[in-house]
């Protein structure tokens, strides 16, 4: 497992199967599933299928504990 001190992540599963572990929680994931991983959360993805799992990953840098949205003054 690993974690990111200043990143939130999204995984979108394109194909295959796997087990996503976030902290002590484990969940089977498959095609079209989306997984959100908050910053500081220990996580790992294990391929549990016979084929390679494929996914898109998006990471967003987070500063402090403040969450920004598109309506925040920083974006206007």
């Amino acid at each position: 497992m690993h974690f990111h001190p200043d990143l939130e992540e999204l995984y979108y599963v394109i194909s295959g199967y796997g087990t996503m572990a976030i902290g002590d929680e484990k969940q089977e994931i498959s095609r079209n599933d989306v997984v959100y991983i908050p910053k500081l959360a220990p996580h790992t993805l294990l391929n549990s299928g016979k084929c390679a799992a494929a996914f898109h990953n998006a990471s967003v840098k987070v500063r402090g504990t403040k969450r920004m949205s598109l309506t925040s003054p920083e974006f206007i």
Side-chain angles (χ1 to χ4, degrees):
M1 282 198 184
H2 67 279
F3 72 95
H4 307 282
D6 59 353
L7 295 176
E8 292 181 336
E9 291 186 283
L10 284 177
Y11 283 77
Y12 173 73
V13 183
I14 299 167
S15 63
Y17 299 89
T19 302
M20 176 64 76
I22 303 174
D24 294 332
E25 183 181 347
K26 292 183 180 178
Q27 182 71 41
E28 291 297 315
I29 60 172
S30 60
R31 184 176 164 210
N32 293 326
D33 284 345
V34 176
V35 180
Y36 165 72
I37 304 168
K39 73 175 188 174
L40 298 174
H43 60 280
T44 191
L45 174 60
L46 303 171
N47 185 353
S48 58
K50 294 181 181 180
C51 301
F55 57 90
H56 285 292
N57 173 269
S59 299
V60 177
K61 190 164 189 161
V62 178
R63 298 180 208 161
T65 57
K66 179 181 176 186
R67 290 182 178 260
M68 295 179 7
S69 71
L70 293 177
T71 58
S72 296
E74 293 87 347
F75 289 108
I76 297 175

